[in-house]
Amino acid sequence: MLQTLRVHHPERHPPPVQSPRSEAELLGRTRAFAGCTLAEVAASAGVALPAEPARAKGFVGTLVERALFVCPKPGAAGPDLAELGIEIKTIPLAAGGQPRESTFVCTLPLGRLEHDTWETSAVRKKLARVLWVPVEHDRALAFGARRLGAAWLWSPSEAEDATLRADWDAVQRLVLRGAVETLDARLGTALQVRPKARHGGMRVRAPGEGEVPTSTMPRGFYLRATFTAAIVRACYPSAQ
DNA sequence: GATTGATCATAC
DNA sequence: GTATGATCAATC
């Protein structure tokens, strides 16, 4: 199962130095890492494993991007690979293939929701094409020993798009009514809204009940694990 | 044990 | 403050 990384032998297999230019190139590049441990991927990318993995929450996602030579523009919104319109998401899977966490999509644009529709939303743009990169997430497994699985490309089906739209519309209605404080993670069947901030004291402006805006905690859109579990079942049969 | 709410790190 | 990348940890 263990595969040798091409980049382990740069003299024989020159590593890529540019962002992938096609879906096939991206997929091939990613699948070369299937079966590799995080320690191996980190070595190939020339980065050290975190001393305290529990405090390095975004490490795996950033590591995979670096290993793939995908370099999103710093500070820029939108998909990781803007030209291909592809978003890269690592997804932590338990031994049985169940996602262990929800998937962050993007910030809830509380101040701009009035001018947004599902069709123009950042959620829809980001989820239009996703490269899912499965990563073992087993408590008994040391951080560096976790392995990547075989990645796959996904786009929402019509039914999935309709579900996401309904959830997104409900959030928009609620926020524009000035009821942002009643918004919590229980709303939405596929897409949910949860806090997304450095600490609990963070505040952003949102529509209030009258003309006056209110101040509230920043939030983000997340895909429920039940939703991504269905995607994994359909697209990643090796996770049975 | 799954879900919700809170938080960690980094760059600009 | 914004964006990127998520997972931790308290609660149900």
Side-chain angles (χ1 to χ4, degrees):
Chain A
M1 188 58 187
L2 175 60
Q3 300 178 11
T4 303
L5 280 179
R6 288 177 153 211
V7 285
H8 284 165
H9 304 287
E11 67 284 355
R12 282 185 288 153
H13 300 286
V17 293
Q18 291 184 322
S19 287
R21 282 157 293 182
S22 69
E23 289 197 344
E25 187 181 350
L26 175 64
L27 200 55
R29 213 179 268 192
T30 312
R31 290 202 159 166
F33 287 100
C36 291
T37 64
L38 291 184
E40 291 167 337
V41 178
S44 84
V47 303
L49 289 175
E52 293 181 90
R55 302 180 65 105
K57 298 183 184 177
F59 178 83
V60 176
T62 306
L63 172 63
V64 168
E65 287 183 353
R66 287 195 57 164
L68 298 175
F69 288 84
V70 170
C71 309
K73 292 177 183 174
D80 300 306
L81 284 157
E83 285 151 33
L84 296 177
I86 297 175
E87 176 72 16
I88 299 173
K89 289 292 181 198
T90 58
I91 182 163
L93 299 183
Q98 308 91 334
R100 297 201 68 105
E101 290 290 347
S102 56
T103 301
F104 174 69
V105 181
C106 60
T107 299
L108 173 57
L110 281 165
R112 292 170 267 133
L113 217 44
E114 187 180 0
H115 311 289
D116 231 349
T117 65
W118 166 244
E119 277 74 19
T120 64
S121 69
V123 175
R124 193 174 194 222
K125 286 195 178 76
K126 285 216 169 191
L127 296 182
R129 196 71 172 152
V130 178
L131 179 73
W132 293 101
V133 183
V135 183
E136 274 184 310
H137 195 106
D138 190 326
R139 294 175 196 289
L141 215 50
F143 186 74
R146 296 179 183 178
R147 293 178 189 278
L148 301 195
W152 71 92
L153 282 159
W154 169 85
S155 293
S157 66
E158 280 188 34
E160 288 165 335
D161 185 84
T163 301
L164 294 165
R165 172 203 298 269
D167 290 344
W168 190 94
D169 283 347
V171 172
Q172 183 188 40
R173 278 197 301 274
L174 197 146
V175 171
L176 295 188
R177 260 179 36 217
V180 65
E181 294 304 346
T182 69
L183 180 56
D184 66 32
R186 291 170 294 186
L187 182 67
T189 63
L191 195 65
Q192 64 178 174
V193 171
R194 305 218 305 277
K196 168 69 172 173
R198 172 175 292 274
H199 55 79
M202 295 274 280
R203 287 295 181 272
V204 292
R205 293 171 86 75
E209 290 184 48
E211 298 291 300
V212 189
T214 186
S215 180
T216 189
M217 83 178 91
R219 294 166 169 86
F221 284 111
Y222 296 76
L223 295 178
R224 291 185 180 277
T226 50
F227 182 73
T228 55
I231 297 171
V232 173
R233 279 196 300 273
C235 305
Y236 192 57
S238 45
Q240 300 309 316

